[in-house]
Amino acid sequence: MASSGSLIFVLLPLLLVLPLLASLGFADADIASTSLVSTGTICTSTPYPSVCRSNLPNNDTGDIYYYGRSSVRKSLSQASRFLALVDKYLAQKASLTVSAARALEDCRFLASLNLDFLLSAFQVVNGTSSALPILKADDVQTVLSAILTNQMTCLDGLQSTASAWSVRNGLSMPLANDTKLYSVSLALVTRGWVPKNKKGKGGAGVWQPKSRQLPFQNGRMSFTMSSRTRGIYESVTRRTLLQSSGDNSVLVNDIVVVSQDGTGNFTAINDAVAAAPNNTDGTSGYFLIYVTAGVYQEYVSIAKNKKYLMMIGDGINQTVITGNRSVVDGWTTFNSATFAVVASNFVAVNMTFRNTAGPKKHQAVAVRTGADLSVFYSCSFEAYQDTLYTHSTRRFYRECDVYGTVDFIFGNAAVVFRNCNLYPRLPMSGRSNMITARGRTDVNQNTGTSIHNCTIRAADDLASSNTSVQTYLGRPWKQYSRTVYLQSFIGSVINPAGWQIWDGDFALSTLYYAEYNNTGPGSNTTSRVTWPGYHVINATDAANFTVSSFLLGDDWLPQTGVPYTSGLI
């Protein structure tokens, strides 16, 4: 039994949340009057019926909207309790090993995000008892999907840290139980509020350039801004920005310059990020950080309140952010990232991100992204194992280069790579390369990796080696792994089987791997795996994984100024 002091410590976050729930109008009277069914009936449509029945109102009837709101409310309550439990363990941080403390800090960070996500989801589902407009529905499905990903990330971090066994034993059961409840909430919300056909505005998209160019050249990316900020930018870069009120303009509210020689506003990127305004809504434009050429040895973390931030460098291999954290050196995979961003509507252009830990240090992330509706354009990601952590939410990569070895594009976001280059490198002796490893754990998560019109070739070190390294398109990290390759060039570096197992027959019938109309010597599907979850698909199915359908990109990409095409080529 907990002491009275401990009880107050655990319940305090919950007590802070409950008044907010009341102010949002969450009351027992909020019960629909049509299509009433019992708790037992509604719970049969969820992945965990027993968890559903034990958490939803008993001896009651209601419709999908009543039960969905009840489940989200219960999820919010449990998220608050779990955050308090993590804080309780962190209060004993002095008695923990460094690796255990780092894993616990990751859990604390992710639990805080979950609380925010559940509050935002409830505000939406509490406002209507009908299917939502598609973009709003996708927003809700995205945050509820991210909550499950955050739970799994916390658990994975604790399990990979042997010295965290006592903490793990105390948190594993709440983590497992809460994850099942969140899965129930996602299922009910998906059934009630998410339209069955996911289609955005449609249309042809903007700009379809034939080659990579710097964004300020030839009118490719124009900016609308005040005369003061225009003067700052032009005086430093000696580039003229084109004024434009057309669809291809980008609204910029302010500009700061990062330069290592002291001629800009800051010499460190983190200082420029700290100067960005908090919680902006984008109506006044992006806060633009121009990072001049140089090698910046710093770990950059862009917090959730630094929204609508645009970061532009002088080009790949010109503006470089580098670090060398790794799991072998005591970091969690999550916190090994050289560059991490969770703030929504982030845009990065013309930059290189590196983790130089090397293949012997195992997991060592160059970039981790949980930033919703974010874009990386003309960027390079360089590491070995776990290079690019597409952790959660929705993201677009255009004309980027990704270098790595084992699982070098991994995570559980909804992402589209378009016109990118994927370069498998030379791994440790005896190891194989896997380009992707997907962390999708729930059939209702709107997540997956779409690799569209990209090029897959061996990096120089692998191409010139005399070893027979096997390279695969991907493997199933989690139960519902989902990855598609569309209209891409697949080089001879790819093994004819195409895909690799994770462990025995794990996920082979529940994953979704697909290929459509690819070219190149490695694209022949004749000798591909024969798993139940592997498919060679047609144009109709492939269209579901394009920018327009999978990311609803026509609704939010134009404001970024980044070129894209909505559908298949």
Side-chain angles (χ1 to χ4, degrees):
M1 180 179 292
S3 67
S4 59
S6 298
L7 185 62
I8 293 173
F9 186 69
V10 170
L11 292 180
L12 183 57
L14 180 62
L15 294 174
L16 295 175
V17 169
L18 291 178
L20 179 56
L21 287 174
S23 71
L24 291 173
F26 209 152
D28 290 339
D30 189 18
I31 302 175
S33 60
T34 60
S35 303
L36 303 182
V37 296
S38 68
T39 302
T41 298
I42 203 72
C43 286
T44 59
S45 65
T46 69
Y48 301 100
S50 62
V51 173
C52 177
R53 289 190 297 270
S54 65
N55 282 282
L56 295 189
N58 292 319
N59 302 318
D60 208 348
T61 58
D63 67 1
I64 187 67
Y65 303 104
Y66 167 63
Y67 287 118
R69 280 187 282 268
S70 296
S71 186
V72 175
R73 174 178 61 179
K74 182 68 173 181
S75 295
L76 184 55
S77 173
Q78 290 304 109
S80 182
R81 290 178 185 275
F82 183 74
L83 179 59
L85 182 59
V86 173
D87 281 339
K88 181 180 178 181
Y89 278 103
L90 276 173
Q92 306 166 24
K93 183 177 178 180
S95 63
L96 300 174
T97 64
V98 172
S99 58
R102 285 172 176 167
L104 199 56
E105 286 166 352
D106 288 351
C107 289
R108 209 273 174 208
F109 176 81
L110 295 163
S112 177
L113 287 179
N114 282 355
L115 205 54
D116 291 344
F117 286 157
L118 282 163
L119 283 169
S120 67
F122 177 70
Q123 288 174 336
V124 174
V125 300
N126 192 51
T128 182
S129 292
S130 62
L132 292 163
I134 185 60
L135 188 59
K136 183 62 69 175
D138 202 50
D139 289 344
V140 174
Q141 195 176 16
T142 293
V143 297
L144 293 179
S145 296
I147 288 166
L148 291 174
T149 302
N150 290 344
Q151 291 286 105
M152 191 57 61
T153 303
C154 170
L155 183 60
D156 285 345
L158 291 173
Q159 288 180 337
S160 65
T161 306
S163 57
W165 67 269
S166 60
V167 176
R168 182 169 65 246
N169 288 346
L171 294 181
S172 291
M173 188 61 70
L175 266 172
N177 292 338
D178 291 351
T179 299
K180 291 177 181 178
L181 174 60
Y182 300 158
S183 183
V184 168
S185 293
L186 175 60
L188 294 175
V189 169
T190 299
R191 179 178 169 185
W193 282 269
V194 178
K196 289 185 175 19
N197 296 320
K198 182 178 177 181
K199 293 183 180 178
K201 293 178 180 178
V206 297
W207 303 333
Q208 299 181 39
K210 295 181 180 179
S211 61
R212 176 183 294 172
Q213 298 172 339
L214 293 176
F216 300 115
Q217 293 179 342
N218 303 328
R220 287 272 311 288
M221 208 172 186
S222 55
F223 289 85
T224 302
M225 65 188 74
S226 70
S227 58
R228 182 181 72 85
T229 56
R230 174 180 292 275
I232 291 173
Y233 185 84
E234 292 181 352
S235 66
V236 172
T237 66
R238 298 186 178 89
R239 292 194 181 114
T240 301
L241 301 178
L242 301 179
Q243 186 78 33
S244 172
S245 58
D247 291 338
N248 291 353
S249 64
V250 177
L251 185 62
V252 174
N253 176 259
D254 204 354
I255 293 178
V256 295
V257 177
V258 179
S259 181
Q260 291 178 323
D261 64 6
T263 58
N265 305 95
F266 303 98
T267 58
I269 297 170
N270 277 310
D271 292 339
V273 171
N278 295 332
N279 295 314
T280 59
D281 61 6
T283 56
S284 60
Y286 288 95
F287 182 85
L288 194 156
I289 299 175
Y290 168 54
V291 186
T292 63
V295 178
Y296 295 81
Q297 296 182 343
E298 56 179 307
Y299 295 95
V300 178
S301 181
I302 301 176
K304 62 186 179 182
N305 61 342
K306 300 295 182 179
K307 301 176 182 179
Y308 289 93
L309 192 153
M310 181 177 286
M311 188 175 292
I312 299 180
D314 273 328
I316 290 175
N317 293 329
Q318 298 300 310
T319 298
V320 179
I321 305 176
T322 184
N324 63 358
R325 289 176 178 171
S326 70
V327 168
V328 169
D329 288 334
W331 299 91
T332 61
T333 301
F334 186 79
N335 243 338
S336 69
T338 300
F339 187 95
V341 53
V342 294
S344 64
N345 301 94
F346 173 77
V347 180
V349 185
N350 283 358
M351 305 184 75
T352 290
F353 305 92
R354 288 180 184 150
N355 188 314
T356 61
K360 293 182 179 179
K361 293 298 182 74
H362 298 288
Q363 297 94 333
V365 175
V367 170
R368 187 194 80 234
T369 49
D372 196 21
L373 305 178
S374 60
V375 179
F376 288 81
Y377 172 42
S378 189
C379 291
S380 182
F381 308 92
E382 302 173 9
Y384 289 86
Q385 183 172 348
D386 290 2
T387 301
L388 181 55
Y389 197 171
T390 61
H391 182 263
S392 57
T393 66
R394 296 163 290 187
R395 197 153 306 107
F396 180 56
Y397 298 87
R398 170 81 187 206
E399 296 179 31
C400 291
D401 301 331
V402 190
Y403 296 81
T405 54
V406 180
D407 305 334
F408 66 89
I409 298 173
F410 76 113
N412 194 29
V415 295
V416 174
F417 291 84
R418 185 65 193 260
N419 294 32
C420 294
N421 300 304
L422 311 183
Y423 294 113
R425 305 176 82 170
L426 184 65
M428 293 174 60
S429 177
R431 301 292 296 273
S432 297
N433 289 330
M434 270 67 65
I435 295 176
T436 63
R438 290 299 311 173
R440 186 167 177 254
T441 59
D442 192 291
V443 70
N444 289 305
Q445 287 179 307
N446 62 344
T447 58
T449 295
S450 174
I451 296 173
H452 188 189
N453 195 34
C454 294
T455 298
I456 297 97
R457 284 194 175 96
D460 290 344
D461 61 348
L462 179 58
S464 62
S465 70
N466 295 321
T467 60
S468 56
V469 173
Q470 301 301 307
T471 299
Y472 299 89
L473 298 173
R475 61 175 178 167
W477 180 24
K478 301 297 181 183
Q479 189 77 42
Y480 294 95
S481 180
R482 180 161 63 176
T483 302
V484 299
Y485 285 79
L486 315 175
Q487 299 176 309
S488 293
F489 177 89
I490 301 178
S492 58
V493 67
I494 297 299
N495 183 287
W499 307 83
Q500 179 63 288
I501 63 170
W502 183 270
D503 183 18
D505 62 356
F506 170 74
L508 301 188
S509 61
T510 53
L511 60 78
Y512 183 90
Y513 287 163
E515 298 180 56
Y516 167 72
N517 203 24
N518 297 305
T519 60
S523 67
N524 191 323
T525 59
T526 303
S527 299
R528 287 294 195 254
V529 296
T530 57
W531 306 337
Y534 171 73
H535 310 275
V536 177
I537 56 177
N538 58 28
T540 300
D541 292 332
N544 293 322
F545 298 97
T546 58
V547 168
S548 178
S549 295
F550 197 52
L551 296 183
L552 303 181
D554 296 322
D555 294 88
W556 59 274
L557 276 173
Q559 69 173 324
T560 70
V562 172
Y564 77 96
T565 304
S566 295
L568 297 171
I569 57 176

